[in-house]
Amino acid sequence: MDDTSAIEVALPAQGPSAASAAANGSEESRGYRPGYEIVAERILEYIAEEQLAVGDRLPTEIDLAQRLDTSRAVVREAVKILSALGRVRAHKGRGLFVADDEGMLVTSRWGGFFRPVDIDHVLMLFEFRRVQEMSASSLAATRATPSELRTIEVATEQCRHGFVHGLVEVFNQADEDFHAAVSAASHNTFLVSAVRDARRLQRQCSAIGIHDRLGENTGAAVEEHEAIFRAIRDGRPEEAAKATAAHLDRTLEDYRREIQRRLFG
């Protein structure tokens, strides 16, 4: 999901009964975790236990709800998380399928670590993104090819087009394309993977209860993208890194405000 549109952090959407049912009463000892997060883990456990491979069909949401002794609504939210992580694919009219998770970081270490409802985890994720994307944009300013510059420019233009015309899906896709293009222009495979995986984890923060609208600071994101692009195009690595830091710092503040609003009204 994009950095500014639909900033709806994944705070609990259902009552404690769904979470406690999914966790079989273990929440009090481990601290609160919403039911959909626990069910997402149990779906992954099911995939492993059944030795399902990429492309294999999963049971329906109704069947999963029965197997996991929870509601279909909780399963649906869990599937959103797993889809955002690239672990399952939902094909309309065909069902749910096991997907190939290409992310090194998610697969090897952080898939079970990151909790999108934990404010500390969200802050750490943004801190990580800041480091990786500042490095990526700085390297891009010295390594980007004309073709890569054009790809970044097109994504920047599409972000503005989506914002101006209120096209949420256009903006969101262009936002993904922009950050992916900048990391690709760094010519560093590990940065490409790190940026992709960090953004994939961040999408969990917006995957639950999301509203299809552009955030109030989407216009600021458009301007920040353009500042990053200009610095990369003009070969100014320090300025590119600085513009990237400003973009992520402002986005983090948006998340902070949304979290405070959700928690305290």
Side-chain angles (χ1 to χ4, degrees), residues 16-252:
S17 59
S20 59
N24 293 323
S26 63
E27 294 305 307
E28 291 183 2
S29 63
R30 293 190 301 167
Y32 175 75
R33 295 179 66 197
Y36 54 74
E37 184 179 305
I38 299 166
V39 169
E41 292 180 356
R42 293 179 65 189
I43 292 174
L44 292 179
E45 291 173 359
Y46 171 82
I47 292 172
E49 290 169 358
E50 297 297 319
Q51 298 183 333
L52 298 181
V54 174
D56 286 348
R57 185 191 297 271
L58 286 163
T60 66
E61 290 180 355
I62 294 176
D63 289 338
L64 285 172
Q66 293 175 344
R67 288 172 183 268
L68 302 179
D69 191 24
T70 186
S71 71
R72 184 179 180 183
V74 174
V75 170
R76 185 178 297 115
E77 300 308 313
V79 168
K80 288 183 181 179
I81 288 180
L82 296 176
S83 294
L85 280 171
R87 305 303 296 273
V88 303
R89 290 283 182 270
H91 296 283
K92 189 174 182 179
R94 296 177 54 203
L96 301 174
F97 297 84
V98 178
D100 184 12
D101 178 13
E102 297 178 352
M104 293 188 300
L105 302 179
V106 174
T107 301
S108 61
R109 299 186 64 180
W110 297 339
F113 166 77
F114 181 65
R115 296 182 183 176
V117 297
D118 188 321
I119 180 59
D120 289 334
H121 284 202
V122 174
L123 298 181
M124 284 188 285
L125 178 60
F126 269 95
E127 186 176 69
F128 178 77
R129 279 194 63 193
R130 194 179 194 273
V131 172
Q132 305 307 318
E133 296 199 39
M134 284 179 66
S135 296
S137 60
S138 177
L139 289 173
T142 63
R143 298 177 178 179
T145 66
S147 176
E148 289 167 339
L149 287 174
R150 179 55 184 161
T151 300
I152 299 171
E153 183 178 25
V154 168
T156 303
E157 293 170 347
Q158 283 296 101
C159 280
R160 180 170 291 280
H161 177 76
F163 167 64
V164 170
H165 296 282
L167 303 173
V168 179
E169 292 185 2
V170 171
F171 178 87
N172 288 347
Q173 185 59 58
D175 183 73
E176 286 295 318
D177 293 344
F178 175 84
H179 288 274
V182 170
S183 65
S186 73
H187 292 207
N188 185 304
T189 299
F190 295 97
L191 279 176
V192 171
S193 179
V195 170
R196 180 188 62 228
D197 290 339
R199 286 181 61 80
R200 183 181 294 177
L201 288 173
Q202 184 182 314
R203 284 197 293 273
Q204 290 184 66
C205 301
S206 301
I208 309 301
I210 193 167
H211 296 292
D212 292 327
R213 62 179 177 81
L214 295 175
E216 62 182 22
N217 288 322
T218 305
V222 170
E223 299 299 331
E224 290 157 3
H225 284 176
E226 292 183 350
I228 296 169
F229 165 66
R230 288 194 299 270
I232 293 173
R233 178 198 62 194
D234 297 342
R236 300 194 299 268
E238 292 184 4
E239 187 171 328
K242 183 178 179 180
T244 299
H247 174 51
L248 292 175
D249 288 346
R250 196 269 313 150
T251 303
L252 175 56

